[in-house]
Amino acid sequence: MTKQAALDLLLGKIKDSKSFHLALALIHWDAMVSGVPQKSYAARGEAEGWLSMETFKRMMAPETLQAIETLEAHDSELTETERAMTRVAGRSYRKAKAVPPEEFGAFRALVSESNQVWEKAREKRDYEMMLPYYEKIFEYQRKLCDWYGYEKHPYDALLDDYEIGANVETLDRFFSALRSEIVPLLKEITDAGEQPKEITGNFDIEKQRELMPWLADFTGFDRTRGKVDEVEHPFCLTVNRHDVRITTKYHEDNLLSAIYSIIHESGHGIYEQNMSEELEPYALADCASMGMHESQSRLYENMIGRSRPYAERLLPKLQEKFEFFKNWDTDALYRTVNIAKPSLIRIEADELTYSLHIMVRYELEKGLMEGKIKAAELPTLWADKYEELLGIRPQNLAEGVLQDVHWGAGLFGYFPSYAIGTAYGAQMMHTIKETAGIDVDAAIRKEDLSPVTNWLEENIHRQGSLYLPEDLLKRATGETFNPQYYVNYLKEKFTGIYLKSTVNN
Amino acid sequence: MTKQAALDLLLGKIKDSKSFHLALALIHWDAMVSGVPQKSYAARGEAEGWLSMETFKRMMAPETLQAIETLEAHDSELTETERAMTRVAGRSYRKAKAVPPEEFGAFRALVSESNQVWEKAREKRDYEMMLPYYEKIFEYQRKLCDWYGYEKHPYDALLDDYEIGANVETLDRFFSALRSEIVPLLKEITDAGEQPKEITGNFDIEKQRELMPWLADFTGFDRTRGKVDEVEHPFCLTVNRHDVRITTKYHEDNLLSAIYSIIHESGHGIYEQNMSEELEPYALADCASMGMHESQSRLYENMIGRSRPYAERLLPKLQEKFEFFKNWDTDALYRTVNIAKPSLIRIEADELTYSLHIMVRYELEKGLMEGKIKAAELPTLWADKYEELLGIRPQNLAEGVLQDVHWGAGLFGYFPSYAIGTAYGAQMMHTIKETAGIDVDAAIRKEDLSPVTNWLEENIHRQGSLYLPEDLLKRATGETFNPQYYVNYLKEKFTGIYLKSTVNN
């Protein structure tokens, strides 16, 4: 196969697969927003399965590997984009090939069953129901480590699957920094005893909806190339770069929930909207990694949306709609949107404690892969770790080890990418402020985030998956991943809110 | 190829194509209801085109014909279902093969352009803009007649494309009955001069929405296996038999529009929901023809929804919501929902005059295919025919020859299926009342249409496309297509409303 033939073959396969992906995205979207009739599940599932399998089969045809190997042999003649395409295609081809098809099939069936069992087990708070599934799923993950291969630690193989380049060495360093600096800070805050006032009462959903355009536009999410819809569990879905859909859920008794989910999903959405069109034919107009995606959503949600200048802009908007905020000032709102306290449920956790929830899961997953922990021990170990890191123990399994969908759905090694992403964001924000010299607070006060978003677009968004996440981060910030920025950011912010007598700056 | 291998091959192709169809249905649905961003059109169109072409290519592979021919050779050994599958697959394979691919490609491109030109031409009321497109489109249609082939009249080839078995001989007979009986009746009504009172004013859309469940449930549309949504131009879309979606559009200043569009689309929806599941693997769980589909929507809309007993049930519902109807009685509402008068716009036409609008188009299409009419003459001939049949002349092209999307979109021979369908419905209704002895009025008064719907399900819906439309109609009504039932129905109904002194029965 000539270099040109290999390029044509790969580009052709990528082009075809785009149509399948658009179809699958819209089938998924429809299921999430349209309220699909129960009886229609089977036929839809069959079509979804068939379309996924069809595009998978096309990608996994032997000539794909031949093309990849041809391009690898011509490495020095490739453009940067062609080389990246080869890397991404080669990685996914080889990862898929590494797993024996019959094992993969059995695992898919297991997971589809265990997913359903998990819902019931959580409801009944019955760990025994889940145990045999967890045991099999963890056993499969251990085999996966070998199939994928690793250099130092088996868990590295799984971490790398969600966050390319992530490994136990880096994550141990990351979490030990959190342990030594954030765990004591949380204890100090908890001991200080004084909490900001809370937002209570009911807030008309129609009025909440009226805030949406302002919230989405503020972040820079382009509503002419996407939209904001309502669903049960908010997410972001890309149909194509000109049709990026984010979602929220309005709660009458929880005003902040929709506000911050819109900002969070906007962060995901902007990333998708800003990827370079030129990368599309190469299948590189895609996030560099899960962590990189999460870095954008959390940067907008927390570092911008929960900043003091943001509270300053948000307050008059809330006062316009809701009598409740009549006597509030910026400082009160800023403190309230940053309430930090130990809690048991990860998805409801605040900015300060979120990564501690991840640490619990990371340490357990690592122990499971090392063979030092057995599935049967998880409920107790889980509770012990919460007590150790957050100072509280779950009173039942639904607020303990059975709270997350992930393990029962076969997602293992996924959790750490959430925390890494948040830390990437802090490192970027440091560069934006210190190296690029952008006055982020002033931009927020002017309700014009373009200096920040332009920097992110240029340095992160546009680049898609042209570079490995570690390279992308280094190109953008001049440094490899350094969790200290994140630790410093948290310390400074929450010390300011909780432990200083004067809160004005 | 053995008979079994041929069956397996065809059934396999049908199974795969179902996944493509589900995907295409949801892409289309999404475009209609989700408000797709303008900039996303190109990428979506590309994916849609690719998926359509992909399923087409699979169906048109040489082995498909081999399988069809093998099954045709084993005709006597086939089950009824297998034979029907072979007939349907053979027909569409041969029709597609009859058209030279390069001519088809050029026509698709022409039509895509002319569709856009038509919108502008209608807006500007400029026939010269459209003329070159119409000329080329009609020329292609004349070639299509030869490619498809015909026995008696070239237009037969195109009529049969939309309504299998339809031809000039039957349609001439049909329209001449309308001409001799309905045209004079309309003149009599117009001359009588007295019109029922009209519904005027604004009707709160939220209250209109509240009527929807009652309207849809009354017809028997199963909302647990589908749903009713809102769009700009109402339609019915089938994702699968357990997920049939109908749509409506509420107008504040036109209360009847949404009511009758819900009943109309419910008729389409019930047909789709009631097709036999056993026919699905054979691609026979599909309407017998366009006309058969229209027979169901119009039977529910007009023969049930605009009947006197329906008005009796509808009135209290309207009175519950709208003060406007306070002093109305059943008779007044019955007469109002049946207002009949000459008009210029087909899609707004009433039950009595609708088929006359179709007759105009039928006679012009026939003349064009015979070569007796030239595209340049259409504006004048159109106006002349409206004057002759309906007694009024369009004052501009937007309410004249440029009103319909069809010709500019390359749909030719399509219009008559609307009128044939309506007449099928009248023939069925005659059988339901006279032969099956079902008291339709009593069923409506009891708000329980099940005797009617059960008959239709058993005799029409369940059968899908197992039989040719003419055979299906004969099996259901004991008679081949007889337009006299339709003519009699219209005469009796509208004479009763307009030309009898006593309107109570």
Side-chain angles (χ1 to χ4, degrees), chain A residues 311-481:
Chain A
E312 188 186 310
R313 306 314 305 157
L314 179 61
L315 183 59
K317 294 284 162 191
L318 296 179
Q319 285 172 330
E320 227 173 72
K321 303 279 173 206
F322 307 109
E323 187 66 19
F324 179 83
F325 292 97
K326 202 174 162 190
N327 299 315
W328 283 56
D329 59 21
T330 297
D331 186 59
L333 184 61
Y334 170 58
R335 288 165 52 82
T336 294
V337 302
N338 284 298
I339 290 175
K341 56 185 174 190
S343 66
L344 293 163
I345 305 293
R346 176 184 56 85
I347 57 168
E348 293 164 8
D350 54 72
E351 187 182 5
L352 181 67
T353 57
Y354 189 82
S355 294
L356 306 182
H357 291 259
I358 299 300
M359 200 187 322
V360 171
R361 289 150 178 84
Y362 167 73
E363 294 185 351
L364 295 175
E365 288 193 346
K366 189 172 75 159
L368 283 160
M369 287 307 102
E370 286 169 346
K372 288 185 186 156
I373 294 177
K374 290 192 170 26
E377 301 168 315
L378 285 175
T380 309
L381 291 175
W382 181 285
D384 290 349
K385 287 209 183 283
Y386 262 83
E387 191 159 14
E388 178 196 344
L389 295 172
L390 289 127
I392 49 175
R393 272 188 98 81
Q395 294 308 301
N396 63 59
L397 292 163
E399 57 179 35
V401 71
L402 289 179
Q403 70 181 263
D404 297 306
V405 67
H406 298 60
W407 290 342
L411 301 168
F412 198 96
Y414 187 129
F415 286 118
S417 66
Y418 294 130
I420 297 174
T422 314
Y424 285 167
Q427 184 166 338
M428 289 171 206
M429 196 49 120
H430 177 84
T431 307
I432 290 170
K433 287 182 172 173
E434 303 305 324
T435 315
I438 293 166
D439 188 340
V440 177
D441 284 2
I444 299 172
R445 283 204 185 88
K446 276 198 286 183
E447 291 193 23
D448 176 10
L449 282 185
S450 57
V452 180
T453 305
N454 289 346
W455 188 93
L456 288 168
E457 177 174 1
E458 197 50 49
N459 290 281
I460 306 293
H461 305 169
R462 280 191 57 74
Q463 315 295 336
S465 47
L466 186 58
Y467 306 110
L468 290 170
E470 60 202 45
D471 295 335
L472 180 63
L473 192 68
K474 194 167 175 197
R475 293 172 75 99
T477 68
E479 204 178 336
T480 54
F481 177 47

Side-chain angles (χ1 to χ4, degrees), chain A residues 107-108 110-112 114-116 118 130 134 137 141 162 404-412:
Chain A
F107 180 66
R108 293 313 313 161
L110 169 70
V111 155
S112 144
S114 83
N115 219 343
Q116 289 166 34
W118 168 75
M130 258 332 264
Y134 279 159
I137 287 168
Q141 299 299 329
Y162 295 98
D404 297 306
V405 67
H406 298 60
W407 290 342
L411 301 168
F412 198 96

Side-chain angles (χ1 to χ4, degrees), chain A residues 225-337:
Chain A
R225 291 171 53 216
K227 59 174 190 159
V228 186
D229 224 312
E230 296 176 33
V231 294
E232 199 51 40
H233 302 289
F235 63 97
C236 167
L237 177 138
T238 300
V239 178
N240 59 59
R241 69 192 305 274
H242 296 303
D243 186 358
V244 176
R245 301 174 183 191
I246 64 174
T247 56
T248 190
K249 159 106 180 162
Y250 297 98
H251 301 266
E252 215 174 45
D253 60 352
N254 187 346
L255 176 65
L256 295 183
S257 172
I259 290 175
Y260 285 99
S261 85
I262 291 169
I263 306 176
H264 181 97
E265 300 304 334
S266 289
H268 284 305
I270 294 165
Y271 189 9
E272 294 284 326
Q273 287 182 331
N274 285 347
M275 283 176 198
S276 166
E277 198 154 12
E278 288 153 34
L279 294 178
E280 236 173 43
Y282 303 89
L284 298 171
D286 194 1
C287 66
S289 69
M290 308 288 307
M292 209 51 84
H293 228 313
E294 203 65 13
S295 76
Q296 300 309 294
S297 55
R298 292 192 185 255
L299 184 151
Y300 280 96
E301 179 191 347
N302 293 328
M303 296 183 200
I304 289 168
R306 297 186 204 271
S307 69
R308 180 186 296 273
Y310 194 87
E312 188 186 310
R313 306 314 305 157
L314 179 61
L315 183 59
K317 294 284 162 191
L318 296 179
Q319 285 172 330
E320 227 173 72
K321 303 279 173 206
F322 307 109
E323 187 66 19
F324 179 83
F325 292 97
K326 202 174 162 190
N327 299 315
W328 283 56
D329 59 21
T330 297
D331 186 59
L333 184 61
Y334 170 58
R335 288 165 52 82
T336 294
V337 302

Side-chain angles (χ1 to χ4, degrees), chain B residues 203-442:
Chain B
F203 298 87
D204 181 60
I205 284 184
E206 202 39 62
K207 286 187 180 168
Q208 291 194 45
R209 272 194 198 109
E210 289 164 14
L211 284 173
M212 182 278 284
W214 181 80
L215 291 164
D217 294 350
F218 195 125
T219 63
F221 179 75
D222 182 352
R223 286 187 296 124
T224 72
R225 290 172 52 218
K227 58 173 189 159
V228 185
D229 223 312
E230 295 175 35
V231 294
E232 199 50 40
H233 302 288
F235 64 96
C236 167
L237 177 139
T238 301
V239 178
N240 59 59
R241 68 191 306 273
H242 295 303
D243 186 358
V244 176
R245 302 174 184 192
I246 63 174
T247 56
T248 190
K249 158 107 181 162
Y250 297 98
H251 301 267
E252 215 175 42
D253 60 352
N254 186 348
L255 176 64
L256 296 183
S257 172
I259 291 175
Y260 285 99
S261 84
I262 291 170
I263 306 176
H264 180 98
E265 300 304 333
S266 289
H268 284 305
I270 294 165
Y271 189 8
E272 294 284 325
Q273 287 182 332
N274 285 347
M275 284 177 197
S276 166
E277 198 154 10
E278 287 154 33
L279 295 178
E280 235 172 43
Y282 302 90
L284 299 171
D286 195 1
C287 66
S289 69
M290 309 287 307
M292 209 51 84
H293 228 312
E294 204 65 13
S295 76
Q296 299 309 294
S297 55
R298 292 192 185 255
L299 185 152
Y300 280 96
E301 179 192 346
N302 293 328
M303 297 185 200
I304 289 168
R306 297 186 204 271
S307 69
R308 181 185 296 272
Y310 194 87
E312 188 186 311
R313 306 314 304 158
L314 179 60
L315 184 59
K317 293 285 163 189
L318 296 179
Q319 286 172 329
E320 226 172 74
K321 303 279 174 205
F322 306 109
E323 187 66 16
F324 179 84
F325 293 96
K326 202 175 164 190
N327 299 315
W328 283 56
D329 60 21
T330 297
D331 186 57
L333 184 61
Y334 171 58
R335 288 165 53 81
T336 294
V337 301
N338 284 299
I339 290 174
K341 54 184 173 193
S343 66
L344 293 165
I345 304 293
R346 176 184 56 85
I347 57 168
E348 293 164 8
D350 55 71
E351 187 182 5
L352 181 68
T353 57
Y354 188 82
S355 293
L356 306 182
H357 291 259
I358 299 300
M359 200 189 318
V360 171
R361 289 150 179 83
Y362 167 73
E363 293 185 352
L364 294 175
E365 287 192 348
K366 189 172 75 158
L368 282 160
M369 288 307 102
E370 284 168 347
K372 288 185 186 156
I373 294 177
K374 290 192 172 23
E377 301 169 315
L378 284 174
T380 310
L381 291 175
W382 181 285
D384 290 349
K385 287 208 181 284
Y386 262 83
E387 192 159 11
E388 176 196 344
L389 295 172
L390 289 126
I392 49 174
R393 273 188 98 81
Q395 294 308 302
N396 63 59
L397 292 162
E399 58 181 33
V401 70
L402 289 180
Q403 72 181 263
D404 297 307
V405 66
H406 298 60
W407 290 341
L411 301 168
F412 198 95
Y414 188 128
F415 286 119
S417 66
Y418 293 130
I420 298 174
T422 315
Y424 285 167
Q427 184 167 338
M428 289 172 206
M429 196 50 118
H430 178 84
T431 307
I432 290 169
K433 287 181 173 173
E434 303 305 324
T435 315
I438 292 166
D439 189 339
V440 177
D441 284 2

